[in-house]
Amino acid sequence: MSADDAADEAADDTSIVTGDETYTASVVGGTGFTGGELLRILSGHPDFEVVQATSRSADNMTVGRSHPNLRGLDLRFSDPDDLESVDVLFSATPHGVSMGQVDEYFEAADAVVDLSADFRLPAAELYDEWYDGHTSPEYLERAEYALPEINRENLPGADLIAGGGCNATATMLGLKPLVDAGALGPDSGEVVVDVKVGSSEGGAGGGAASSHPERSGVVRPYAPTGHRHEAEIEAYLGLDVSFTVHAVEMVRGASATCHVFPDEPVSKADLWQAYRGAYADEPFMRIVSGGGGVYRYPEPKAVAGTNYGEVGFELDPGNRRIVVFSAIDNMMKGSAGQAVHAANVALGLPETAGLEFQGLHPVGSP
Ligand SMILES: NC(=O)c1ccc[n+]([C@@H]2O[C@H](COP(=O)([O-])OP(=O)(O)OC[C@H]3O[C@@H](n4cnc5c(N)ncnc54)[C@H](OP(=O)(O)O)[C@@H]3O)[C@@H](O)[C@H]2O)c1
């Protein structure tokens, strides 16, 4: 390779400008639930200025019309066919939209952060297996998985960031310390994961299954086997899990309970060492494991509206089974918060910028 070619390649690699500046941002899919969370975070972020939020159905209406918590924000929805030129485009659209629009996104923006499943998996064959194929597979290699706790080292300078699935995020945050500690070797038993998730996971247009009368009071298995997030967990944690998801009544939150049968018996001290080793320096991770008070284990209510994740664990008598608990807000740590956290890392900003707020207590069903 000539020096010129190498320089061109290096320039391509750093097409996303990093430094001490304010970044312009747009949110495609601004009327949706995660789009609203992006607007909430970015409008308070010290390093971003939101210049566009798109909607086909609410064109020219104020953002506050869809998101009453954002009333007063001086921004109106505009047509996604007229994308403004920005530094970072966040896309919060249903699966399949971004893979069809990604060329247009990159014409408008230096970097794209996509919250859908469109760039999450690393290979086209996985989309054939788990989704309905992929129409822009040439972008898959370029995409970096957003979750910093899993993929921080590859995020700086990334210009296509793929947000994780909320159920996969809760599960991986819970299990990662055990994987890192080598507790899950070839002789381990099957890892069984049970996730309970709130109705906002289905989005603003969630349909009959998420409507209030149908959702009220349920603990409804909706993906007993074959959930698509299994593919992500295998791709990024290297772990094949038996995975079941329940739809429950809460609005926000994903709570994963993972049953782990390790190679060799482990002690409580081993577990503390593994979880502290993985998360002591993580700005958004809390270990909540059998302390006092009412909330002795991870609790979605305690992180609702925030980018925090909680993990905790218990051991069976005889140390045969580790029970791991993990709780996040599906729209924050499980989506919009994760996306902004990843963008902060990609741009070289302080990791916690725009995300440092705590949740509410006491609070009703979040
Ligand atoms: N909700 C969660 O907890 C969660 C968690 C992790 C990941 N995600 C992923 O994040 C994405 C957004 O989820 P959500 O829950 O925010 O969905 P949502 O509430 O249904 O919002 C979707 C948004 O996309 C817009 N949209 C739909 N089709 C479009 C198209 N063809 N072109 C441009 N805009 C379009 C919609 O507005 P208009 O129709 O007005 O244009 C709306 O603003 C999904 O891919 C979802 O899987 C969601």
Side-chain angles (χ1 to χ4, degrees), residues 71-157:
R71 280 179 188 139
L73 196 65
D74 185 17
L75 190 64
R76 285 180 182 272
F77 292 114
S78 55
D79 189 332
D81 288 337
D82 296 323
L83 291 176
E84 291 188 25
S85 186
V86 289
D87 295 314
V88 185
L89 180 152
F90 292 84
S91 179
T93 52
H95 174 62
V97 175
S98 294
M99 66 171 83
Q101 295 293 316
V102 61
D103 289 334
E104 286 79 0
Y105 287 174
F106 274 111
E107 275 167 30
D110 291 334
V112 172
V113 183
D114 181 51
L115 273 55
S116 80
D118 287 11
F119 301 101
R120 270 179 209 164
L121 298 178
E125 305 78 66
L126 291 171
Y127 282 90
D128 293 337
E129 186 181 344
W130 291 91
Y131 293 85
D132 307 316
H134 206 290
T135 56
S136 303
E138 66 278 14
Y139 281 94
L140 293 176
E141 208 174 313
R142 180 168 169 180
E144 288 297 343
Y145 195 64
L147 191 61
E149 290 81 359
I150 297 276
N151 194 34
R152 177 175 282 103
E153 69 275 16
N154 294 314
L155 286 170

Side-chain angles (χ1 to χ4, degrees), residues 29 31-34 55-57 92-94 115-116 200-201 203-204 330 334-335:
T31 48
F33 282 166
T34 58
S55 165
R56 301 160 310 160
S57 62
T93 52
L115 273 55
S116 80
S200 59
E201 182 188 50
N330 52 299
S335 191

Side-chain angles (χ1 to χ4, degrees), residues 235-261:
Y236 297 106
L237 209 56
L239 207 58
D240 190 9
V241 295
S242 296
F243 191 77
T244 296
V245 183
H246 290 77
V248 297
E249 180 168 5
M250 63 189 173
V251 173
R252 282 174 185 261
S255 168
T257 303
C258 312
H259 304 273
V260 181
F261 302 88

Side-chain angles (χ1 to χ4, degrees), residues 261 314-323:
F261 302 88
E314 261 316 333
L315 267 180
D316 253 349
N319 301 2
R320 199 182 60 90
R321 177 181 61 128
I322 310 167
V323 192

